[in-house]
């Protein structure tokens, strides 16, 4: 079978592949050119290259839509300036040594200025004034202002990028590219501010070189070569002026290109497109111009040039009027329906066009998670004021992915003037789940239980865990830390609160679409596991419910491969969601125990065997995972459990209840309203080799804590 021949690289690709070699070689040759004499014909070639290169640069800037598309321009400007100065030195050497510097310089001296050195001096002086006073001065000022404004606007632009990223309008890759473009723009205009000084210095150097050449040439011609006074003045002055003009014309083109590229900040296309579109956008201006030109032709000025330009302006005016009328009336079916006699139009009066119905579908959607802030908290978000809340939110989403194994949707941050200045509200799918207040100009100090001395502050409650705290002045931070308080800034307060809300409401944030995305991620590396499970054994919705059950008790689902493998095993026996959840929990024993064990020891609150038996009977009687108990029994369980929780917390431990696998879910659901953060484990969820220590027992009797401190 014939194989296709590999595509030949284009000319541009072949040049680009070796560009670093010939650019480096050319840069070195520029310095050599200042030292080593060259023949006149080589100088002619190099002067032609100089003019051609200046024309190419000017045309490229005219067709460039964005200044960053020609980001190499500042460096190129330096190289071209060095090239032009080396040609000046080489031409000066040839003129002073031989009285001849090639045909191009001689042609510019004889043809362009007509062989009159006085006229040449005037023309050269005019070129220098145009370049130095008009173009270079203006381009330098524009580059300076553009650099300053670009640097000042960087924080706002970066804030806009972070806001779009958190709102989900752009991806992280697009955000990185936008930040890179912002940085490149600042670097470009900063470089252009400095590069414009090259052009100014080049104009000054040209003036000095010309006058030095004239004086030196006159001295050499009269005193060394013994040429008559007037002949020496004519010969060396014409050659010097020719050399000055032949190098200043490319310099003028480069200066113009510099001014063009730094003044195209608000362009939407190439210079030609923008010019043709914008200069004729006001037809009245064209009409007035046409009338004035016609009047000028009637009263003294040359008739046919004035009337010809008047006709051209009037032609553009009529054409623009037709375009405006056409766009106003519309084309196609809309224009036909608006004309008299068209279908749906009675008599000679057209019916008013009906405004198209506005789509209200976008109003039906909610943002998965929102953070609304009062105007007093805006400094925490504004990067220009040192706010880093948006960056912290991005870190929170990454933390949730690492710790919980879920992808938290982008959190939209917006200001709400209806809130108190220091208040923020967290919403999930449009419903408020929590609100709190922070003081931007103060720090939050919390007593972890080890603080010895009191401090002055405004009493408050820490929003994430509901602990008592104080708002203290920033100057009192050192004293508070010395007294043993934990001090955090307002941004950290909000970030910690958001993290806890995400952990609490993780099941609500995990929908079917998010579950499908997690499955697709696993399928990329383990396709057999997913193909076996979905859809043959379980649907995406059933897997979602199992994952939600795990997240509801704050069990991470990052090891999704282990979860899916155990779901595939358990689904063959039963598709009951509670059964599958308990089976997965047993398989994740090591993960669960690693979360709660300390130094290889798991301190737990056990359950009285009589209570386990009672719960087991209640569950069987109700044929559900809910235990159907009488209120007095439930009250005794709550009272005993409350004492055990207080005992654990007073000892600095997290309350963890350990019970039989058959009653774990029933006990959890029985206690989740009274103690929603209580951890309830079963014996099957204890990792092998882990030491378990009992600190108390939950019972429905009035027995003392007889099992406290005994190993389970």
């Amino acid at each position: 079978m014939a194989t296709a021949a590999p595509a030949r690289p284009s000319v541009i690709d072949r040049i680009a592949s070796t560009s670093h070699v010939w650019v480096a070689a050319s840069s070195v040759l520029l310095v050599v050119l200042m030292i080593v004499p060259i023949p006149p014909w080589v100088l002619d070639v190099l002067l032609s290259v100089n003019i051609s290169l200046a024309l190419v640069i000017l045309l490229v800037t005219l067709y460039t839509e964005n200044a960053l598309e020609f980001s190499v321009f500042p460096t190129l400007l330096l190289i071209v300036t060095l090239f032009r100065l080396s040609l000046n030195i080489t031409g000066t050497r040839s003129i002073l040594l031989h009285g001849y510097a090639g045909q191009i310089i001689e042609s510019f001296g004889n043809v362009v200025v007509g062989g009159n050195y006085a006229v040449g001096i005037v023309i050269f002086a005019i070129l220098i004034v145009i370049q130095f006073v008009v173009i270079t001065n203006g381009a330098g000022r524009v580059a300076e202002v553009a650099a300053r404004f670009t640097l000042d606007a960087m924080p706002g632009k970066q804030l806009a990028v972070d806001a779009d990223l958190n709102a989900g309008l752009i991806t992280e890759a697009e955000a990185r590219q936008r930040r890179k473009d912002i940085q490149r723009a600042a670097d470009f205009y900063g470089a252009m501010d400095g590069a414009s000084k090259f052009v100014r210095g080049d104009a000054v150097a040209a003036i000095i070189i010309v006058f030095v050449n004239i004086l030196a040439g006159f001295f050499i011609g009269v005193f060394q070569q013994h040429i008559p006074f007037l002949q020496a003045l004519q010969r060396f002055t014409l050659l010097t002026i020719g050399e000055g003009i032949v190098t200043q014309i490319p310099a003028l083109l480069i200066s113009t290109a510099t001014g063009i590229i730094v003044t195209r900040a608000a362009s939407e296309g190439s210079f030609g497109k923008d010019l043709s579109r914008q200069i004729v956008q006001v037809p009245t201006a064209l009409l007035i111009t046409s009338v004035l030109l016609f009047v000028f032709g009637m009263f003294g000025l040359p008739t046919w040039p004035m009337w010809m330009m008047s006709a051209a302006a009037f032609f553009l005016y009529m054409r623009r009027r037709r375009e405006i009328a056409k766009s106003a009336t519309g084309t196609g079916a809309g224009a036909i329906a608006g004309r008299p006699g068209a279908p749906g139009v009675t008599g000679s009066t057209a019916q008013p066009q009906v405004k198209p119905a506005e789509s209200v579908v976008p109003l039906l959607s909610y943002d998965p998670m929102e953070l609304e802030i009062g105007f007093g908290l805006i400094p925490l978000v504004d990067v220009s004021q040192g706010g880093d809340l948006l960056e912290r939110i991005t870190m929170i989403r990454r933390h949730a992915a690492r710790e919980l194994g879920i992808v938290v949707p982008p959190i939209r941050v917006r200001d709400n003037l209806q809130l108190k200045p220091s208040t923020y509200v967290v919403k999930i799918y449009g419903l408020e789940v929590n609100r709190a207040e922070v003081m931007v100009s103060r720090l939050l100090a919390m007593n972890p239980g080890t603080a010895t001395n009191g401090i002055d502050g405004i009493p408050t409650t820490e929003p994430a865990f509901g602990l008592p705290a104080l708002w203290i002045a920033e100057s009192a931070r050192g004293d508070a830390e010395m007294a043993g308080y934990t001090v955090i800034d307002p941004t950290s307060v909000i970030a910690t609160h958001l993290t806890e809300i995400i952990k609490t409401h993780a099941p609500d944030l995990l929908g079917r679409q998010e579950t499908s995305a997690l499955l697709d991620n696993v399928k990329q590396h383990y396709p057999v596991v997913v193909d076996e499970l979905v859809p043959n054994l379980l649907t995406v919705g059933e897997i979602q419910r199992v994952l939600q059950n795990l997240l509801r008790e704050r069990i991470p689902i990052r090891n999704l491969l282990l979860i899916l493998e155990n779901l595939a095993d358990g689904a063959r026996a039963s598709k009951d969601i509670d059964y599958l959840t308990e089976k997965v929990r047993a398989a994740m024993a090591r993960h669960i125990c690693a979360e709660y064990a300390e130094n290889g020891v798991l301190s737990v609150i056990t359950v009285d065997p009589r209570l386990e038996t009672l719960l087991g009977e209640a569950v069987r009687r109700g044929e559900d995972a809910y235990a159907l108990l009488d209120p007095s029994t439930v009250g005794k369980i709550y009272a005993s459990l409350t004492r055990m929780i207080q005992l654990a917390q007073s000892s600095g431990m997290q309350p963890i209840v350990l019970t039989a696998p058959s009653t774990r879910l029933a006990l959890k659901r029985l206690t989740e309203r009274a103690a929603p953060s209580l951890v309830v484990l079963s014996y099957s969820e204890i990792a092998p080799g882990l030491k378990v220590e009992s600190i108390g027992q939950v019972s429905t009797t009035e027995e003392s804590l007889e099992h406290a401190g005994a190993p389970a």
Side-chain angles (χ1 to χ4, degrees):
M1 183 174 63
T3 58
R8 296 181 60 186
S10 63
V11 176
I12 296 178
D13 293 336
R14 291 198 296 270
I15 294 176
S17 63
T18 59
S19 60
H20 60 284
V21 177
W22 57 265
V23 168
S26 301
S27 302
V28 175
L29 287 176
L30 294 181
V31 180
V32 176
L33 192 61
M34 299 180 183
I35 303 172
V36 180
I38 61 174
W41 68 269
V42 177
L43 181 59
D44 287 341
V45 173
L46 294 178
L47 289 172
S48 302
V49 171
N50 186 29
I51 296 174
S52 302
L53 185 60
L55 288 172
V56 170
I57 293 174
L58 176 63
L59 293 175
V60 169
T61 56
L62 289 175
Y63 282 96
T64 299
E65 297 184 1
N66 188 346
L68 293 181
E69 295 177 2
F70 203 6
S71 58
V72 75
F73 186 84
T75 306
L76 179 62
L77 185 61
L78 173 60
I79 298 298
V80 171
T81 302
L82 182 62
F83 180 39
R84 191 163 52 251
L85 291 175
S86 65
L87 292 180
N88 272 328
I89 295 174
T90 303
T92 298
R93 183 189 302 113
S94 298
I95 292 172
L96 298 181
L97 288 177
H98 310 292
Y100 179 72
Q103 296 181 3
I104 291 182
I105 290 179
E106 187 173 359
S107 298
F108 270 83
N110 293 325
V111 178
V112 175
V113 299
N116 190 325
Y117 63 85
V119 175
I121 292 177
V122 172
I123 293 178
F124 178 78
I126 292 174
L127 287 176
I128 290 297
V129 169
I130 292 175
Q131 180 182 352
F132 186 76
V133 177
V134 180
I135 300 178
T136 304
N137 192 25
R141 179 58 178 166
V142 172
E144 179 184 355
V145 174
R148 184 184 303 123
F149 284 1
T150 301
L151 292 174
D152 292 342
M154 276 188 65
K157 292 180 179 179
Q158 292 175 347
L159 176 62
V161 172
D162 293 337
D164 289 346
L165 175 61
N166 288 309
L169 301 178
I170 58 176
T171 62
E172 290 192 7
E174 293 173 335
R176 286 194 297 269
Q177 183 61 41
R178 286 193 183 183
R179 294 191 189 101
K180 184 178 179 181
D181 292 341
I182 293 171
Q183 184 63 45
R184 288 181 60 210
D187 295 340
F188 175 79
Y189 285 107
M192 284 301 302
D193 184 21
S196 62
K197 305 301 187 295
F198 300 151
V199 182
R200 178 188 295 270
D202 181 43
V204 175
I207 299 174
I208 297 174
I209 289 173
V210 166
F211 284 103
V212 169
N213 285 352
I214 292 176
L215 295 177
F218 175 74
F219 179 83
I220 292 173
V222 173
F223 296 101
Q224 291 186 359
Q225 300 179 5
H226 305 291
I227 300 175
F229 177 82
L230 293 178
Q231 184 179 352
L233 184 62
Q234 175 79 8
R235 181 179 180 182
F236 286 99
T237 302
L238 279 179
L239 289 176
T240 301
I241 292 299
E243 182 209 6
I245 294 176
V246 79
T247 55
Q248 281 310 301
I249 287 180
L252 182 63
L253 296 178
I254 296 296
S255 301
T256 305
T258 304
I260 290 174
I261 201 167
V262 298
T263 54
R264 290 185 55 74
S267 61
E268 298 178 354
S270 65
F271 177 73
K273 292 180 180 179
D274 288 345
L275 179 64
S276 60
R277 181 172 59 250
Q278 297 177 15
I279 201 170
V280 297
Q281 64 182 348
V282 182
T284 306
L286 296 173
L287 178 60
I288 295 175
T289 301
S290 176
V291 172
L292 290 177
L293 290 175
F294 185 81
V295 173
F296 292 162
M298 293 178 62
F299 296 96
L301 293 180
T303 303
W304 69 269
M306 292 292 103
W307 285 5
M308 183 177 63
M309 296 307 300
S310 174
F314 186 75
F315 171 76
L316 292 176
Y317 163 74
M318 294 300 298
R319 183 175 180 179
R320 182 59 181 161
R321 284 293 303 272
R322 285 196 299 268
E323 291 178 355
I324 294 176
K326 186 177 180 180
S327 62
T329 57
T331 58
I336 295 174
R339 292 201 307 265
V345 179
T346 303
S348 60
T349 303
Q351 297 289 337
Q353 295 183 354
V354 179
K355 184 179 180 181
E358 180 183 1
S359 176
V360 296
V361 174
L363 302 178
L364 301 177
S365 61
Y366 285 107
D367 291 314
M369 197 166 182
E370 298 176 74
L371 174 63
E372 294 184 352
I373 59 176
F375 71 87
L377 304 183
I378 292 179
L380 301 180
V381 182
D382 190 357
V383 178
S384 62
Q385 301 185 46
D388 61 345
L389 182 57
L390 295 178
E391 182 180 353
R392 298 288 293 273
I393 289 176
T394 302
M395 295 174 59
I396 289 171
R397 296 180 64 218
R398 293 175 180 172
H399 176 78
R402 289 193 300 264
E403 299 297 325
L404 297 179
I406 65 171
V407 178
V408 178
I411 302 174
R412 182 184 294 274
V413 181
R414 64 179 68 184
D415 58 336
N416 187 346
L417 298 180
Q418 297 180 354
L419 296 176
K420 294 181 179 179
S422 59
T423 301
Y424 66 90
V425 175
V426 181
K427 293 183 178 180
I428 294 181
Y429 289 105
L431 297 177
E432 179 180 332
V433 295
N434 214 324
R435 70 167 57 203
E437 294 187 15
V438 294
M439 303 182 72
V440 176
S441 59
R442 289 179 172 267
L443 301 174
L444 187 71
M446 295 183 295
N447 186 354
T450 58
T452 56
N453 300 325
I455 57 175
D456 295 331
I458 302 175
T460 185
T461 301
E462 194 275 332
F465 304 102
L467 302 176
L470 296 171
W471 286 111
I472 63 174
E474 295 182 355
S475 59
R477 179 169 193 160
D479 296 337
E481 291 177 345
M482 289 291 293
Y485 284 83
T486 301
V487 182
I488 56 177
D489 58 274
T491 303
S492 299
V493 173
I494 299 177
T496 304
H497 195 188
L498 282 175
T499 302
E500 287 302 311
I501 290 176
I502 290 173
K503 291 180 179 180
T504 303
H505 295 273
D508 302 327
L509 298 174
L510 183 67
R512 278 176 168 78
Q513 188 66 39
E514 290 76 16
T515 304
S516 178
L518 294 177
L519 295 176
D520 291 340
N521 183 51
V522 175
K523 192 174 182 179
Q524 292 180 2
H525 306 284
Y526 306 97
V528 176
V529 177
V530 180
D531 291 339
E532 178 188 0
L533 182 61
V534 182
N536 299 324
L537 297 176
L538 294 175
T539 64
V540 175
E542 291 170 332
I543 297 175
Q544 173 205 1
R545 292 175 59 192
V546 173
L547 298 180
Q548 286 178 329
N549 285 343
L550 296 175
L551 292 172
R552 192 168 287 111
E553 297 191 44
R554 299 199 175 188
I555 297 179
I557 60 172
R558 187 177 181 183
N559 193 351
L560 194 57
L561 177 62
L562 175 64
I563 296 174
L564 297 180
E565 288 179 343
N566 282 272
L567 285 178
D569 296 337
R572 301 183 187 278
S574 173
K575 294 187 178 181
D576 181 72
I577 302 301
D578 292 338
Y579 166 78
L580 294 175
T581 302
E582 296 303 306
K583 183 173 181 59
V584 170
R585 288 177 61 97
M588 299 181 67
R590 294 187 182 276
H591 297 79
I592 296 174
C593 292
E595 182 75 17
Y596 303 115
E598 294 184 5
N599 300 323
V601 178
L602 182 65
S603 301
V604 299
I605 302 170
T606 59
V607 180
D608 187 351
R610 289 169 293 183
L611 177 56
E612 289 182 345
T613 302
L614 181 63
L615 288 172
E617 293 175 351
V619 171
R620 286 197 298 271
R621 186 167 57 248
E623 296 182 357
D624 197 352
Y626 290 95
L628 303 178
L629 300 173
D630 59 274
S632 61
T633 303
V634 173
K636 294 178 181 179
I637 294 174
Y638 282 176
S640 178
L641 183 61
T642 301
R643 291 196 299 270
M644 295 300 102
I645 292 176
Q646 293 174 349
L647 174 64
Q649 291 177 341
S650 63
S651 302
M653 302 177 183
Q654 181 177 2
I656 301 174
V657 176
L658 182 64
T659 184
S662 58
T663 59
R664 191 210 72 85
L665 184 57
L667 182 60
K668 173 60 181 176
R669 291 181 174 172
L670 180 66
T671 59
E672 62 183 353
R673 291 190 178 275
S677 59
L678 179 65
V679 179
V680 180
L681 304 180
S682 69
Y683 298 124
S684 60
E685 296 167 10
I686 303 301
L690 181 65
K691 182 180 179 181
V692 181
E693 182 181 67
S694 175
I695 61 173
Q697 188 178 80
V698 179
S699 175
T700 56
T701 64
E702 299 297 331
E703 297 176 356
S704 61
L705 307 179
E706 57 184 15
H707 296 279

